Amino acid sequence: MEYRRLGKAGVKVSALSLGSWVTFGHQISDDVAADLMREAYDKGINFFDNAEGYASGRSEVVMGNILRKMAWSHETFLVSSKVFWGGEHPNQTGLCRKHVIEACHNALRRLQVEYLDFYFCHRPDPSTPIEETVRAMSDLVHQGKVLYWGTSEWSSQEITQAHAIARECHLVPPTMEQPMYNILGRHRVEQEYARLYTEYGLGTTIWSPLASGLLTGKHSKGLQEGTRATLKDYDWLKEQMAREVKEKADKVQKLEKIAKEVGLSPAVFAITWCLKNPHVSTVILGASKVSQLAENLQAIEAQVKLTPEVMKQVDEAVK
């Protein structure tokens, strides 16, 4: 496994990490979830990503039970939660101080840990002043309940505002951002955030490296049953995927050809491409089978195959 600094922070995060969105507490059994975490940990993954909104908190319960059963020292792993979608009542959503604090306490209880290594604002909240959120996050850090806090899918303007407030009010600024990033979705990470890497030392924990499965090639003849896009309660994803399968079919086929030429599966190729970006701290993997995770872990060693020439071919294929 390769380990990278989280932006300018000193903490080391495995270049590949394991996420629980859709799978834990929903798509897979708790036993399979345990097998996935054990395989990940044994192969050097030290970061496990979660959120209060995943399976309405059930995902954190499953992960917490596994962490207790495995009895790994917290010194050897990193675990996260994200706050925004916590329930149906008015103060169970968003980023007001009340919800940020209470969601953290709930995550600690469900994950059965004394502190969160990473705590993300899952989305920006236009109904809450950014200063209120920054103060709440900073307080949690000072209390030792959170070690590093960050944002997810925030604009560069919002991240900049959070840093300005933290600097002016002597608060703890966000350390990292969790954006979607893949070969077909590049603008935010490569362009919008460009100045933030040097200006703030921003780290990134990127998600959806396979574009929800589009880059695996499995949907080339239409959405395949059993994938996350066809699960109950994910109609929004199904509609999005069905549209993108049609719109981006030509690009996906070109990428599959390049992957074949360098001797990689489309999935491993797509993950490896993400790893080639020096501003990517870690690529969050999603898996429903141990064999799937094991295959995706090949991306670490596959980086040498994506030469500058191959990277140029990718740019040409998707432009």
Side-chain angles (χ1 to χ4, degrees):
M1 180 55 64
E2 172 191 350
Y3 298 92
R4 301 180 176 185
R5 287 180 62 185
L6 187 63
K8 71 174 182 180
V11 66
K12 304 296 193 303
V13 61
S14 51
L16 296 178
S17 44
L18 181 65
S20 63
W21 180 51
V22 179
T23 51
F24 284 36
H26 185 74
Q27 185 184 20
I28 62 177
S29 70
D30 294 0
D31 288 341
V32 172
D35 290 341
L36 286 167
M37 287 188 65
R38 184 185 297 107
E39 173 71 9
Y41 186 84
D42 288 347
K43 293 299 188 295
I45 284 180
N46 71 351
F47 172 37
F48 300 98
D49 183 69
N50 220 313
E52 67 167 351
Y54 294 170
S56 300
R58 171 65 183 164
S59 176
E60 292 185 334
V61 171
V62 172
M63 185 173 287
N65 287 338
I66 295 170
L67 290 173
R68 180 188 62 189
K69 180 180 179 181
M70 298 299 180
W72 300 323
S73 168
H74 200 156
E75 296 178 354
T76 66
F77 68 85
L78 305 157
V79 66
S80 72
S81 184
K82 292 185 280 292
V83 53
F84 196 92
W85 293 288
E88 299 179 355
H89 294 279
N91 292 314
Q92 287 183 307
T93 61
L95 300 176
C96 70
R97 179 179 181 84
K98 177 177 174 62
H99 183 50
V100 167
I101 300 297
E102 291 175 346
C104 178
H105 293 166
N106 290 337
L108 293 173
R109 173 177 51 81
R110 288 191 290 255
L111 289 166
Q112 302 181 55
V113 292
E114 294 183 354
Y115 59 88
L116 298 174
D117 298 280
F118 306 146
Y119 194 34
F120 296 89
C121 296
H122 210 159
R123 290 294 185 276
D125 180 5
S127 66
T128 299
I130 290 182
E131 180 177 346
E132 180 176 340
T133 302
V134 173
R135 285 188 178 277
M137 285 290 195
S138 184
D139 285 349
L140 288 170
V141 172
H142 286 304
Q143 293 166 12
K145 296 173 182 176
V146 171
L147 301 188
Y148 303 89
W149 78 274
T151 58
S152 179
E153 296 299 330
W154 279 33
S155 68
S156 61
Q157 181 179 359
E158 290 162 335
I159 295 171
T160 297
Q161 186 176 350
H163 274 269
I165 291 170
R167 182 172 59 251
E168 180 181 353
C169 301
H170 305 288
L171 302 172
V172 179
T175 300
M176 63 278 184
E177 158 66 26
Q178 188 169 113
M180 181 182 72
Y181 181 58
N182 53 63
I183 298 176
L184 300 175
R186 306 168 57 173
H187 174 79
R188 174 158 277 182
V189 169
E190 296 183 3
Q191 298 180 43
E192 183 182 343
Y193 292 161
R195 68 176 182 83
L196 304 183
Y197 304 124
T198 54
E199 191 167 344
Y200 303 125
L202 187 72
T204 61
T205 62
I206 69 107
W207 62 282
S208 198
L210 301 179
S212 296
L214 182 61
L215 290 170
T216 65
K218 68 177 65 174
H219 299 300
S220 59
K221 297 182 180 180
L223 294 182
Q224 296 298 301
E225 288 298 324
T227 60
R228 61 182 56 189
T230 62
L231 293 176
K232 182 181 178 181
D233 301 326
Y234 285 85
D235 290 341
W236 63 271
L237 182 58
K238 183 176 183 179
E239 293 175 2
Q240 174 184 314
M241 285 293 297
R243 181 176 64 254
E244 293 189 350
V245 164
K246 294 180 180 179
E247 294 177 351
K248 300 177 179 179
D250 290 343
K251 293 180 179 179
V252 172
Q253 289 178 2
K254 291 177 182 178
L255 293 171
E256 289 178 355
K257 182 179 179 181
I258 299 172
K260 185 176 182 179
E261 289 174 350
V262 297
L264 298 175
S265 70
V268 173
F269 181 82
I271 295 167
T272 306
W273 180 89
C274 292
L275 286 172
K276 296 291 287 187
N277 187 330
H279 298 303
V280 169
S281 307
T282 185
V283 177
I284 301 174
L285 304 176
S288 57
K289 300 176 183 178
V290 172
S291 58
Q292 180 185 9
L293 176 61
E295 177 190 352
N296 292 344
L297 287 171
Q298 297 173 18
I300 294 294
E301 296 183 354
Q303 292 179 77
V304 295
K305 295 188 175 184
L306 269 65
T307 62
E309 292 75 18
V310 173
M311 296 295 282
K312 185 176 180 180
Q313 289 180 48
V314 172
D315 290 341
E316 291 292 325
V318 299
K319 69 178 182 180

